[in-house]
Amino acid sequence: MKQRKSDLQEIPGVGPNIEQDLLNLGYRSIASLKDADPEEMYRRDCLLKGRREDRCQLYVYRLAVYFASNTRRDPEKLKWWNWKE
């Protein structure tokens, strides 16, 4: 049985692929995302992937930082599409 690498999949919208992207960016836990800059995370992710843009990824990064930075979370904000520009 394969063990999960982190607790990152507890964040709404984060599945195995985005968890791996976060791990590649150096985030190993929800706590490590606290006060991170989602736009900077997105820029670094694009660089690692050869500048392929995926705006959906930015929205999930915004949600992940919100989730990590707020203990009292608004249930409506836990829907990743609420983080679109």
XYZ file of all heavy atoms in Angstrom:
721
model
N 0.834 -1.181 0.000
C 0.000 0.000 0.000
C 0.886 1.254 0.000
O 1.753 1.405 0.834
C -0.897 -0.017 1.237
C -1.800 1.168 1.327
S -2.686 1.120 2.903
C -4.308 1.399 2.318
N 0.629 2.143 -0.932
C 1.424 3.368 -1.064
C 0.948 4.419 -0.067
O -0.240 4.701 0.032
C 1.298 3.898 -2.490
C 2.202 5.056 -2.771
C 2.083 5.483 -4.208
C 2.966 6.673 -4.471
N 2.878 7.138 -5.835
N 1.881 4.994 0.682
C 1.534 6.046 1.626
C 1.499 7.390 0.922
O 2.265 7.641 -0.007
C 2.564 6.120 2.747
C 2.441 5.003 3.745
C 3.373 5.241 4.914
O 4.514 5.642 4.727
N 2.886 4.990 6.109
N 0.593 8.242 1.406
C 0.550 9.598 0.862
C 1.794 10.343 1.292
O 2.337 10.116 2.359
C -0.693 10.306 1.362
C -1.904 9.781 0.652
C -3.161 10.518 0.887
N -3.057 11.837 1.420
C -3.991 12.377 2.163
N -5.056 11.693 2.482
N -3.868 13.601 2.614
N 2.222 11.270 0.457
C 3.444 12.022 0.695
C 3.242 13.178 1.671
O 4.193 13.649 2.253
C 3.961 12.571 -0.626
C 4.286 11.506 -1.640
C 4.648 12.124 -2.968
C 4.783 11.080 -4.030
N 4.913 11.633 -5.346
N 2.011 13.649 1.813
C 1.768 14.861 2.590
C 0.296 14.916 2.983
O -0.480 14.040 2.630
C 2.119 16.087 1.752
O 1.179 16.223 0.695
N -0.062 15.984 3.680
C -1.477 16.217 4.003
C -2.132 17.179 3.016
O -3.266 17.600 3.203
C -1.609 16.741 5.429
C -0.981 18.114 5.641
O -0.243 18.595 4.748
O -1.204 18.715 6.707
N -1.434 17.504 1.943
C -1.908 18.525 1.001
C -3.228 18.165 0.326
O -3.989 19.046 -0.062
C -0.835 18.801 -0.051
C 0.460 19.404 0.484
C 1.559 19.350 -0.569
C 0.240 20.819 0.977
N -3.516 16.876 0.194
C -4.766 16.486 -0.462
C -5.991 16.760 0.390
O -7.112 16.593 -0.080
C -4.714 15.024 -0.897
C -3.827 14.831 -2.108
C -3.947 13.435 -2.687
O -5.011 12.836 -2.665
N -2.858 12.917 -3.203
N -5.799 17.205 1.619
C -6.935 17.610 2.450
C -7.503 18.959 2.000
O -8.611 19.329 2.375
C -6.517 17.695 3.917
C -6.157 16.359 4.516
C -5.657 16.468 5.938
O -5.984 17.466 6.622
O -4.942 15.560 6.368
N -6.748 19.693 1.193
C -7.197 20.991 0.678
C -8.162 20.738 -0.477
O -7.843 19.979 -1.398
C -5.996 21.824 0.183
C -4.996 22.060 1.316
C -6.466 23.139 -0.422
C -3.675 22.638 0.852
N -9.352 21.350 -0.464
C -10.281 21.166 -1.580
C -9.620 21.538 -2.907
O -8.931 22.544 -3.007
C -11.429 22.129 -1.248
C -11.348 22.336 0.223
C -9.887 22.253 0.565
N -9.822 20.716 -3.917
C -9.268 20.984 -5.235
C -7.876 20.428 -5.459
O -7.375 20.455 -6.574
N -7.242 19.916 -4.415
C -5.893 19.360 -4.552
C -5.992 17.844 -4.637
O -6.388 17.174 -3.690
C -4.980 19.769 -3.367
C -3.648 19.045 -3.436
C -4.753 21.276 -3.386
N -5.672 17.335 -5.813
C -5.601 15.897 -6.021
C -4.149 15.491 -6.181
O -3.242 16.296 -5.950
N -3.897 14.256 -6.599
C -2.522 13.765 -6.705
C -1.623 14.604 -7.606
O -0.454 14.819 -7.292
C -2.683 12.350 -7.253
C -4.076 11.965 -6.929
C -4.882 13.232 -6.913
N -2.138 15.103 -8.731
C -1.295 15.870 -9.651
C -0.878 17.214 -9.055
O 0.277 17.617 -9.142
C -2.000 16.093 -10.991
C -2.191 14.810 -11.753
O -1.473 13.827 -11.538
N -3.151 14.781 -12.637
N -1.827 17.911 -8.451
C -1.494 19.211 -7.861
C -0.665 19.011 -6.595
O 0.242 19.795 -6.316
C -2.756 20.050 -7.612
C -3.402 20.384 -8.964
C -2.423 21.325 -6.848
C -4.689 21.143 -8.888
N -0.941 17.936 -5.861
C -0.095 17.628 -4.704
C 1.360 17.475 -5.159
O 2.263 18.039 -4.545
C -0.549 16.348 -4.010
C 0.349 15.979 -2.840
C 0.020 14.629 -2.225
O -0.517 13.764 -2.938
O 0.315 14.448 -1.040
N 1.570 16.762 -6.249
C 2.935 16.579 -6.757
C 3.537 17.912 -7.192
O 4.711 18.177 -6.938
C 2.953 15.592 -7.925
C 4.347 15.219 -8.373
C 5.171 14.605 -7.256
O 4.763 13.627 -6.632
N 6.336 15.167 -6.981
N 2.742 18.764 -7.817
C 3.228 20.090 -8.201
C 3.648 20.894 -6.971
O 4.689 21.553 -6.975
C 2.164 20.869 -8.985
C 1.912 20.289 -10.372
O 2.773 19.544 -10.880
O 0.843 20.575 -10.928
N 2.832 20.842 -5.911
C 3.179 21.551 -4.678
C 4.457 20.981 -4.061
O 5.317 21.730 -3.593
C 2.019 21.486 -3.682
C 0.802 22.337 -4.043
C -0.397 21.961 -3.174
C 1.114 23.811 -3.914
N 4.593 19.667 -4.090
C 5.813 19.045 -3.574
C 7.023 19.495 -4.391
O 8.083 19.786 -3.830
C 5.678 17.520 -3.587
C 4.689 16.932 -2.577
C 4.430 15.459 -2.877
C 5.180 17.121 -1.160
N 6.855 19.572 -5.709
C 7.948 20.033 -6.581
C 8.345 21.475 -6.275
O 9.494 21.860 -6.485
C 7.557 19.912 -8.054
C 7.458 18.477 -8.515
O 7.961 17.558 -7.875
N 6.767 18.265 -9.626
N 7.384 22.261 -5.788
C 7.659 23.656 -5.421
C 8.237 23.776 -4.006
O 8.589 24.868 -3.577
C 6.383 24.492 -5.524
C 5.849 24.719 -6.938
C 4.481 25.371 -6.886
C 6.815 25.555 -7.757
N 8.300 22.673 -3.282
C 8.899 22.677 -1.954
C 7.908 22.736 -0.810
O 8.300 22.887 0.348
N 6.620 22.619 -1.098
C 5.598 22.636 -0.053
C 5.281 21.196 0.335
O 4.801 20.423 -0.484
C 4.348 23.367 -0.531
C 4.641 24.810 -0.869
C 4.851 25.215 -2.174
C 4.747 25.756 0.137
C 5.153 26.531 -2.485
C 5.044 27.082 -0.157
C 5.243 27.454 -1.473
O 5.552 28.761 -1.767
N 5.553 20.848 1.576
C 5.402 19.471 2.040
C 4.195 19.265 2.943
O 3.870 18.139 3.284
C 6.660 19.028 2.800
C 7.921 19.129 1.987
C 8.086 17.893 1.126
N 9.267 17.961 0.296
C 9.245 18.103 -1.019
N 8.110 18.217 -1.652
N 10.354 18.126 -1.716
N 3.563 20.358 3.339
C 2.425 20.256 4.244
C 1.526 21.476 4.079
O 1.939 22.490 3.514
C 2.915 20.181 5.687
O 3.503 21.411 6.059
N 0.323 21.358 4.610
C -0.595 22.498 4.605
C 0.043 23.668 5.347
O 0.001 24.805 4.886
C -1.943 22.103 5.223
C -2.663 21.104 4.310
C -2.814 23.334 5.463
C -3.893 20.463 4.921
N 0.659 23.375 6.481
C 1.266 24.444 7.288
C 2.329 25.213 6.514
O 2.502 26.418 6.713
C 1.866 23.852 8.565
N 3.029 24.557 5.604
C 4.086 25.242 4.848
C 3.527 26.250 3.844
O 4.262 27.096 3.340
C 4.988 24.227 4.142
O 4.288 23.553 3.111
N 2.239 26.179 3.559
C 1.601 27.110 2.616
C 1.134 28.400 3.274
O 0.774 29.348 2.588
C 0.391 26.440 1.964
C 0.698 25.361 0.941
C -0.540 24.530 0.666
C 1.227 25.987 -0.328
N 1.142 28.420 4.604
C 0.628 29.591 5.312
C 1.379 30.842 4.877
O 2.601 30.884 4.894
C 0.756 29.404 6.816
C 0.073 30.492 7.582
C 0.089 30.238 9.061
C -0.721 31.350 9.676
N -0.450 31.621 11.000
N 0.632 31.827 4.452
C 1.164 33.126 4.024
C 2.041 33.056 2.773
O 2.776 33.995 2.483
C 1.936 33.802 5.166
C 1.061 34.022 6.383
O -0.128 34.363 6.205
O 1.552 33.839 7.516
N 1.964 31.964 2.020
C 2.689 31.885 0.745
C 2.022 32.820 -0.268
O 0.879 33.239 -0.091
C 2.685 30.448 0.225
N 2.735 33.142 -1.324
C 2.215 34.010 -2.380
C 1.770 33.128 -3.552
O 2.614 32.575 -4.258
C 3.303 34.990 -2.822
C 2.863 35.914 -3.941
O 1.750 35.738 -4.492
O 3.641 36.820 -4.282
N 0.450 32.959 -3.758
C -0.009 32.060 -4.817
C 0.445 32.464 -6.215
O 0.721 31.597 -7.048
C -1.529 32.090 -4.705
C -1.882 33.080 -3.678
C -0.639 33.551 -3.010
N 0.557 33.766 -6.469
C 1.011 34.198 -7.790
C 2.477 33.800 -8.018
O 2.847 33.388 -9.106
C 0.801 35.704 -7.966
C -0.632 36.097 -8.329
C -1.646 35.962 -7.194
O -1.230 35.920 -6.023
O -2.848 35.901 -7.482
N 3.289 33.925 -6.972
C 4.691 33.495 -7.076
C 4.776 31.984 -7.240
O 5.588 31.479 -8.021
C 5.482 33.946 -5.841
C 6.924 33.503 -5.837
C 7.744 34.031 -7.011
O 7.420 35.096 -7.568
O 8.735 33.365 -7.372
N 3.938 31.262 -6.530
C 3.899 29.805 -6.678
C 3.574 29.446 -8.129
O 4.196 28.559 -8.713
C 2.834 29.203 -5.752
C 3.147 29.325 -4.280
S 1.709 28.989 -3.230
C 1.344 27.293 -3.629
N 2.595 30.142 -8.686
C 2.172 29.891 -10.067
C 3.304 30.196 -11.055
O 3.572 29.410 -11.968
C 0.935 30.734 -10.372
C 0.449 30.623 -11.784
C -0.111 29.452 -12.254
C 0.548 31.703 -12.652
C -0.569 29.349 -13.560
C 0.087 31.623 -13.952
C -0.462 30.435 -14.397
O -0.913 30.337 -15.696
N 4.001 31.322 -10.856
C 5.125 31.662 -11.747
C 6.220 30.594 -11.685
O 6.752 30.177 -12.715
C 5.693 33.036 -11.385
C 4.842 34.207 -11.852
C 5.553 35.542 -11.690
N 5.719 35.916 -10.292
C 4.801 36.533 -9.551
N 3.634 36.829 -10.074
N 5.043 36.848 -8.295
N 6.541 30.153 -10.477
C 7.564 29.108 -10.315
C 7.121 27.799 -10.958
O 7.907 27.106 -11.594
C 7.873 28.896 -8.832
C 8.665 30.040 -8.242
C 8.987 29.882 -6.758
N 9.374 28.554 -6.377
C 8.972 27.939 -5.262
N 8.166 28.540 -4.414
N 9.381 26.723 -4.981
N 5.839 27.478 -10.807
C 5.292 26.266 -11.401
C 5.398 26.320 -12.924
O 5.792 25.342 -13.563
C 3.837 26.082 -10.963
C 3.226 24.803 -11.475
O 3.776 23.724 -11.175
O 2.197 24.880 -12.169
N 5.054 27.477 -13.509
C 5.161 27.633 -14.966
C 6.608 27.467 -15.429
O 6.858 26.850 -16.468
C 4.611 28.994 -15.402
S 2.820 29.122 -15.306
N 7.545 28.011 -14.681
C 8.964 27.859 -15.034
C 9.389 26.391 -14.989
O 10.084 25.915 -15.893
C 9.852 28.687 -14.109
C 9.856 30.179 -14.342
C 10.640 30.896 -13.239
C 10.435 30.515 -15.704
N 8.969 25.685 -13.961
C 9.313 24.264 -13.844
C 8.721 23.444 -14.985
O 9.305 22.454 -15.408
C 8.827 23.702 -12.511
C 9.596 24.105 -11.268
C 8.892 23.597 -10.013
C 11.013 23.549 -11.322
N 7.561 23.872 -15.470
C 6.875 23.137 -16.535
C 7.184 23.694 -17.919
O 6.523 23.340 -18.883
C 5.370 23.176 -16.302
C 4.950 22.414 -15.074
C 3.470 22.557 -14.881
C 3.016 21.776 -13.677
N 1.602 21.977 -13.400
N 8.161 24.564 -18.018
C 8.494 25.121 -19.325
C 7.507 26.173 -19.790
O 7.231 26.284 -20.981
N 6.972 26.935 -18.823
C 6.074 28.066 -19.087
C 4.707 27.683 -19.649
O 4.022 28.499 -20.229
C 6.735 29.103 -19.987
C 7.929 29.754 -19.340
C 8.187 31.106 -19.984
N 9.320 31.754 -19.373
C 9.245 32.560 -18.320
N 8.102 32.802 -17.774
N 10.327 33.107 -17.829
N 4.298 26.440 -19.511
C 2.930 26.087 -19.904
C 1.991 26.652 -18.851
O 2.101 26.331 -17.678
C 2.746 24.570 -19.968
C 3.436 23.948 -21.163
C 3.221 22.476 -21.169
N 3.762 21.944 -19.899
C 3.354 20.834 -19.326
N 2.405 20.126 -19.844
N 3.901 20.418 -18.191
N 1.080 27.496 -19.264
C 0.173 28.129 -18.308
C -1.068 27.278 -18.102
O -1.582 26.679 -19.034
C -0.225 29.522 -18.791
C 0.913 30.502 -18.703
C 0.458 31.931 -18.896
O -0.755 32.199 -18.789
O 1.321 32.772 -19.152
N -1.524 27.241 -16.886
C -2.746 26.554 -16.512
C -3.412 27.423 -15.446
O -3.090 27.324 -14.271
C -2.421 25.157 -15.971
C -3.663 24.395 -15.544
O -4.775 24.952 -15.624
O -3.523 23.240 -15.123
N -4.303 28.309 -15.878
C -4.916 29.265 -14.953
C -5.657 28.553 -13.825
O -5.717 29.038 -12.713
C -5.867 30.192 -15.708
C -5.178 31.061 -16.741
C -4.172 31.999 -16.157
N -4.796 33.062 -15.400
C -4.136 33.992 -14.738
N -2.824 33.984 -14.730
N -4.767 34.910 -14.074
N -6.197 27.384 -14.096
C -6.875 26.617 -13.059
C -5.910 26.351 -11.904
O -6.307 26.390 -10.736
C -7.385 25.309 -13.649
S -8.181 24.240 -12.467
N -4.662 26.095 -12.210
C -3.650 25.853 -11.189
C -3.494 27.072 -10.279
O -3.381 26.928 -9.070
C -2.314 25.526 -11.861
C -1.297 24.965 -10.934
C -1.263 23.457 -10.993
O -2.155 22.814 -11.509
N -0.227 22.888 -10.466
N -3.507 28.258 -10.849
C -3.409 29.479 -10.047
C -4.572 29.567 -9.071
O -4.390 29.902 -7.907
C -3.370 30.715 -10.948
C -3.422 32.070 -10.241
C -2.272 32.238 -9.258
C -3.439 33.201 -11.264
N -5.778 29.236 -9.532
C -6.941 29.311 -8.663
C -6.803 28.340 -7.493
O -7.130 28.669 -6.359
C -8.226 29.011 -9.438
C -8.399 29.814 -10.699
C -9.018 29.277 -11.805
C -7.930 31.127 -10.787
C -9.186 30.011 -12.975
C -8.079 31.870 -11.955
C -8.709 31.303 -13.038
O -8.862 32.022 -14.181
N -6.315 27.143 -7.774
C -6.139 26.155 -6.708
C -5.050 26.611 -5.743
O -5.177 26.443 -4.528
C -5.839 24.757 -7.286
C -5.524 23.760 -6.170
C -7.026 24.259 -8.101
N -3.989 27.240 -6.247
C -2.943 27.761 -5.358
C -3.509 28.849 -4.449
O -3.185 28.900 -3.265
C -1.762 28.310 -6.155
C -0.900 27.251 -6.813
C -0.017 27.599 -7.814
C -0.967 25.924 -6.448
C 0.794 26.658 -8.413
C -0.177 24.978 -7.052
C 0.705 25.336 -8.045
O 1.493 24.390 -8.632
N -4.366 29.702 -4.989
C -4.992 30.743 -4.164
C -5.830 30.111 -3.054
O -5.769 30.528 -1.901
C -5.866 31.648 -5.026
C -5.066 32.570 -5.912
C -5.968 33.364 -6.812
N -5.200 34.292 -7.622
C -5.664 34.890 -8.707
N -6.908 34.675 -9.098
N -4.902 35.714 -9.386
N -6.614 29.107 -3.406
C -7.429 28.408 -2.421
C -6.547 27.713 -1.380
O -6.834 27.766 -0.184
C -8.335 27.391 -3.109
C -9.082 26.421 -2.196
C -9.962 27.157 -1.199
C -9.891 25.445 -3.012
N -5.467 27.089 -1.814
C -4.577 26.368 -0.897
C -3.975 27.310 0.147
O -3.919 26.984 1.338
C -3.472 25.661 -1.682
N -3.560 28.485 -0.288
C -2.992 29.455 0.651
C -4.072 29.956 1.610
O -3.829 30.078 2.816
C -2.307 30.619 -0.104
C -1.917 31.733 0.852
C -1.083 30.099 -0.859
N -5.264 30.210 1.094
C -6.375 30.605 1.972
C -6.633 29.516 3.016
O -6.765 29.786 4.204
C -7.645 30.861 1.146
C -8.876 31.016 1.998
C -9.152 32.218 2.636
C -9.762 29.951 2.189
C -10.279 32.362 3.446
C -10.880 30.082 2.991
C -11.134 31.287 3.616
O -12.227 31.422 4.420
N -6.705 28.267 2.577
C -6.984 27.138 3.457
C -5.921 27.034 4.551
O -6.243 26.830 5.720
C -7.012 25.854 2.624
C -7.476 24.635 3.368
C -8.815 24.292 3.389
C -6.573 23.814 4.025
C -9.247 23.154 4.060
C -6.992 22.685 4.708
C -8.343 22.353 4.720
N -4.665 27.208 4.174
C -3.569 27.089 5.136
C -3.501 28.273 6.092
O -3.060 28.132 7.226
C -2.245 26.951 4.391
N -3.931 29.439 5.642
C -3.762 30.665 6.421
C -4.957 31.011 7.313
O -4.872 31.942 8.105
C -3.494 31.838 5.480
O -2.328 31.607 4.723
N -6.058 30.289 7.171
C -7.268 30.620 7.923
C -7.817 29.405 8.660
O -8.152 28.403 8.024
C -8.351 31.152 6.971
C -7.959 32.464 6.357
O -8.128 33.508 6.962
N -7.405 32.417 5.155
N -7.903 29.506 9.942
C -8.485 28.403 10.707
C -10.009 28.450 10.671
O -10.657 27.419 10.736
C -8.003 28.422 12.176
O -8.303 29.695 12.739
C -6.514 28.158 12.258
N -10.561 29.649 10.556
C -12.010 29.800 10.403
C -12.287 30.051 8.924
O -12.153 31.169 8.446
C -12.527 30.949 11.250
C -12.261 30.735 12.716
C -12.803 31.867 13.527
N -13.772 31.295 14.442
C -14.717 31.965 15.064
N -14.850 33.244 14.866
N -15.528 31.364 15.887
N -12.647 28.998 8.229
C -12.789 29.078 6.772
C -14.250 29.244 6.376
O -15.108 28.520 6.845
C -12.222 27.816 6.142
C -10.756 27.629 6.466
C -10.256 26.295 5.962
N -8.915 26.071 6.454
C -8.571 25.085 7.280
N -9.474 24.211 7.683
N -7.339 24.960 7.686
N -14.483 30.173 5.478
C -15.809 30.371 4.914
C -16.076 29.211 3.947
O -15.328 29.030 2.985
C -15.827 31.711 4.172
C -17.130 32.015 3.474
O -17.996 31.122 3.344
O -17.278 33.170 3.035
N -17.124 28.403 4.175
C -17.387 27.252 3.309
C -17.498 27.615 1.824
O -17.087 26.846 0.960
C -18.715 26.686 3.833
C -18.810 27.170 5.231
C -18.097 28.498 5.264
N -18.023 28.802 1.536
C -18.149 29.219 0.135
C -16.772 29.427 -0.501
O -16.572 29.149 -1.673
C -18.992 30.488 0.041
C -19.427 30.841 -1.357
C -20.284 29.769 -2.034
O -20.991 29.003 -1.363
O -20.220 29.706 -3.283
N -15.819 29.903 0.285
C -14.479 30.136 -0.250
C -13.698 28.843 -0.451
O -12.643 28.851 -1.055
C -13.695 31.077 0.664
C -14.156 32.502 0.564
C -13.224 33.426 1.292
C -13.608 34.863 1.074
N -12.673 35.782 1.700
N -14.211 27.726 0.040
C -13.528 26.449 -0.148
C -13.830 25.821 -1.505
O -13.358 24.740 -1.807
C -13.889 25.479 0.982
C -13.428 25.927 2.364
C -13.826 24.901 3.404
C -11.935 26.189 2.404
N -14.567 26.526 -2.322
C -14.827 26.086 -3.695
C -13.822 26.797 -4.589
O -13.788 28.021 -4.651
C -16.254 26.423 -4.093
C -17.266 25.711 -3.212
C -18.661 26.170 -3.500
C -19.627 25.474 -2.559
N -20.946 26.075 -2.590
N -12.996 26.021 -5.274
C -11.867 26.633 -5.993
C -12.306 27.641 -7.043
O -11.601 28.602 -7.304
C -10.942 25.581 -6.593
C -11.496 24.802 -7.735
C -12.116 23.613 -7.693
C -11.470 25.187 -9.114
N -12.507 23.224 -8.942
C -12.109 24.166 -9.838
C -10.973 26.294 -9.802
C -12.261 24.221 -11.214
C -11.124 26.349 -11.169
C -11.766 25.310 -11.864
N -13.465 27.478 -7.637
C -13.877 28.422 -8.692
C -14.172 29.815 -8.139
O -14.236 30.771 -8.891
C -15.065 27.890 -9.483
C -16.242 27.524 -8.655
C -17.192 28.375 -8.152
C -16.600 26.227 -8.204
N -18.106 27.668 -7.415
C -17.779 26.344 -7.435
C -16.051 24.963 -8.370
C -18.399 25.257 -6.843
C -16.688 23.892 -7.788
C -17.830 24.035 -7.042
N -14.309 29.942 -6.832
C -14.480 31.274 -6.239
C -13.192 32.081 -6.247
O -13.210 33.258 -5.909
C -15.013 31.158 -4.806
C -16.455 30.693 -4.784
O -17.254 31.147 -5.590
N -16.766 29.802 -3.875
N -12.090 31.468 -6.611
C -10.792 32.152 -6.598
C -10.379 32.645 -7.985
O -9.288 33.155 -8.155
C -9.727 31.228 -6.012
C -10.029 31.002 -4.577
C -10.745 29.971 -4.033
C -9.701 31.869 -3.502
N -10.869 30.145 -2.682
C -10.241 31.311 -2.331
C -9.003 33.070 -3.409
C -10.085 31.893 -1.079
C -8.866 33.643 -2.174
C -9.393 33.060 -1.019
N -11.280 32.502 -8.954
C -10.977 33.027 -10.288
C -10.961 34.542 -10.237
O -11.608 35.154 -9.420
C -12.019 32.554 -11.298
C -11.942 31.069 -11.563
C -12.945 30.703 -12.624
C -12.855 29.234 -12.910
N -13.775 28.848 -13.980
N -10.209 35.120 -11.156
C -10.090 36.589 -11.190
C -11.378 37.220 -11.674
O -12.122 36.698 -12.392
C -8.935 36.982 -12.105
C -7.648 36.497 -11.542
C -6.468 36.779 -12.457
O -6.538 36.487 -13.640
O -5.489 37.293 -11.932
